[in-house]
Amino acid sequence: MFGYIRPIKNEFENYLFKAQYCCLCKVLGRQYGFFSRNILSFDITFLALMLHALSKHVFVYRYESCIMHPINKRRVKKPNQIDFSCAEITVFLAKKKIEDNIKDEKNLKRLFYRFLNHIPFSWNDQLTLENNPLNRLFSDFDAMEALKHIGSDQLSNQFGKILEHIILYTSERTQTLLPEQTTHFAFLIGKLIYLLDAFEDIERDLKSWKYNPLIFENKEIILSYPKKHDAALFIRKEERWRLFLLLDHIQYLYSFLREFLGVYMTEIDGIISKSLPAMINKVIKDDTNQAEKGDFHESRPL
Amino acid sequence: MNQDPYKILNINHNATKKEIKEAYNKLVKQYHPDYYKEKHMKELAEQKMKEINEAYDYVVNNGNTKQYDYDSEYTQSSSNSQNQSSGYDYGYIRNLIQSGRFNEARNILNEIKVRDAEWFYLMGVVEISMGNYNQGRVYFEKAIRLDPQNQEYQAAYRQTVNGYFFSRRAGHARTDTDTCCQVCATLWCLDCCCECSGGDFITCC
């Protein structure tokens, strides 16, 4: 995943998001090998947070040291079935990403990803997702992207469906009863992740002429602006209404979902009301709204 | 063709043949693939030219129709709350949308043959709620074109483009409930005050 759904820096330090992150990191290390800790993303941590909040299970924290912080012990949540399931999803997504990169990249980079794919991080033996409908959704998504003339709504919706199925799969595995709106909420979060990634890649994709639905939908801008940087700026300006509308949609749906949250409400509230607007402003490079600007961890917070 | 051909050619719906031709020639001069040296730009220009040619063919062949109607059977500019020919009440579809049954609402809307401004508006709401923002925006544009005086359609379009479509809808709902509660509370307070001073404002309680 991409790590767009995360708290702003000062909230990360103060709240329980960090304990959840450390818990997933430790589960990954124990279940799938030390190196698999590197594939953990903020998005999956948010997913785990949501599932815990909706399941209303009681859970405990303990203080543990880790290889990155051998002296100062950190608060870590004791893992439960939800964490094991989220760790499995993380590994599955990383595997898909590596397979995707093998297809897309060339020369040395491709060799590197092939090498990575063959390192037995104890992944393949433990993944039970191989015959899951998620695989079909991923291949549909790849096929749509390969066509190179699909609009941003269709592609982002397909990515949203993947996240919708991930939350369904995890809730089935952990026998968590989800409110009706959860799947659509997950769909919108997936859609947002895809669109944020497409926005962030506009300049890079323009330079390398890689397919990006936002560029495809604005052909006339590319043809009218001789400088790619200007064209990228214009596309960002033209298309940002999608992100604002999507944020509005997510916040609207969350107002219904909020009633069902048992724990982590402060953390999730913070992400939905502060971090997402700040992340959107960061991606569209809008410096005008100072109040909503946020400071994010640029790397993993280990 | 998903886009409005008149929009692609940058002309209004009452444009004369001469205006259409001039707009077409201007676009051909601007986007002709031969003007671009880079391979990828050439490809983009070819795609754009294909769109322009399709739009021009459409407008020339259907130029005598005043109402914009390129992907529906036919449209009707009046906005009625009851769609006579299909037998479906738009109020029922509005209720479906209100209760979040978007697929059902979309299926019923697709069965309706007579597509007026209200149809396009409701379809726009359904599409936007299902995450198809572009399509929803196009439907709102069509609804406004068919019924330019309707404030509801204009507000929906404005809210979509400015990114507060959902919060505004929620806001309306919340305001209604608040107002209702406020009225009840005020009546109760008045009744209490009257009873304290020896009178009675509401006799039944």
Side-chain angles (χ1 to χ4, degrees), chain A residues 153 157 191 209 241 248-249, chain B residues 38 40 131-134 166-167:
Chain A
D153 268 342
N157 286 357
K191 187 176 167 74
W209 287 106
W241 67 276
D248 189 45
H249 203 167
Chain B
E38 211 176 327
H40 299 288
N132 301 317
Y133 297 157
N134 232 7
F166 296 97
S167 52

Side-chain angles (χ1 to χ4, degrees), chain A residues 81-96:
Chain A
Q81 193 52 43
I82 292 176
D83 300 305
F84 291 117
S85 228
C86 286
E88 188 187 18
I89 288 288
T90 307
V91 173
F92 175 75
L93 292 175
K95 211 167 167 259
K96 284 280 162 202

Side-chain angles (χ1 to χ4, degrees), chain A residues 54-298:
Chain A
L54 293 168
S55 72
K56 296 175 186 172
H57 288 157
V58 178
F59 45 81
V60 287
Y61 291 95
R62 56 190 178 196
Y63 283 84
E64 287 181 26
S65 54
C66 72
I67 198 152
M68 298 301 288
H69 305 92
I71 301 164
N72 291 331
K73 286 191 173 180
R74 294 198 149 204
R75 185 159 62 168
V76 180
K77 191 182 79 63
K78 197 178 169 187
N80 58 18
Q81 193 52 43
I82 292 176
D83 300 305
F84 291 117
S85 228
C86 286
E88 188 187 18
I89 288 288
T90 307
V91 173
F92 175 75
L93 292 175
K95 211 167 167 259
K96 284 280 162 202
K97 181 80 186 156
I98 291 173
E99 283 169 11
D100 199 37
N101 283 344
I102 293 172
K103 270 187 245 163
D104 288 351
E105 301 291 350
K106 286 168 192 167
N107 308 330
L108 273 177
K109 274 190 179 172
R110 180 183 282 188
L111 267 177
F112 169 73
Y113 285 115
R114 278 199 174 158
F115 165 73
L116 215 60
N117 202 27
H118 285 96
I119 296 178
F121 287 135
S122 339
W123 288 6
N124 297 335
D125 314 333
Q126 297 191 42
L127 283 181
T128 52
L129 279 156
E130 289 304 321
N131 298 318
N132 197 279
L134 269 172
N135 281 302
R136 190 179 45 79
L137 285 172
F138 266 104
S139 27
D140 286 353
F141 179 77
D142 288 343
M144 281 169 85
E145 240 186 0
L147 285 175
K148 296 190 176 180
H149 60 77
I150 304 285
S152 57
D153 268 342
Q154 283 163 284
L155 271 172
S156 58
N157 286 357
Q158 184 66 21
F159 198 80
K161 275 183 203 162
I162 291 175
L163 216 75
E164 193 181 299
H165 271 76
I166 285 176
I167 207 155
L168 278 175
Y169 169 79
T170 325
S171 68
E172 263 174 40
R173 285 286 305 268
T174 56
Q175 291 170 345
T176 312
L177 273 177
L178 296 177
E180 207 185 330
Q181 296 91 346
T182 320
T183 46
H184 198 55
F185 181 77
F187 166 82
L188 294 177
I189 292 286
K191 187 176 167 74
L192 180 71
I193 292 172
Y194 182 84
L195 280 179
L196 284 172
D197 193 48
F199 263 84
E200 211 164 48
D201 287 349
I202 290 176
E203 276 174 14
R204 204 194 64 191
D205 291 343
L206 264 178
K207 275 180 195 161
S208 57
W209 287 106
K210 232 176 143 188
Y211 174 69
N212 182 327
L214 295 174
I215 298 175
F216 166 77
E217 281 173 342
N218 290 284
K219 288 187 280 290
E220 59 278 12
I221 292 173
I222 317 290
L223 295 167
S224 310
Y225 283 79
K227 285 184 184 170
K228 282 174 186 167
H229 176 72
D230 294 343
L233 277 180
F234 201 85
I235 293 174
R236 274 213 177 88
K237 205 177 162 191
E238 276 291 295
E239 295 292 329
R240 64 186 183 181
W241 67 276
R242 288 175 197 281
L243 287 178
F244 293 138
L245 187 61
L246 185 52
L247 175 69
D248 189 45
H249 203 167
I250 288 172
Q251 288 175 340
Y252 170 72
L253 210 61
Y254 177 67
S255 66
F256 294 103
L257 210 56
R258 199 172 178 273
E259 292 168 22
F260 299 96
L261 301 184
V263 284
Y264 287 141
M265 198 188 268
T266 323
E267 287 72 22
I268 299 172
D269 274 355
I271 291 173
I272 302 293
S273 62
K274 291 182 200 160
S275 308
L276 290 189
M279 182 55 86
I280 287 174
N281 280 338
K282 188 184 168 204
V283 169
I284 60 172
K285 295 180 181 165
D286 182 7
D287 297 329
T288 51
N289 198 347
Q290 292 294 326
E292 285 184 350
K293 272 185 83 178
D295 192 8
F296 293 96
H297 278 279
E298 288 307 321

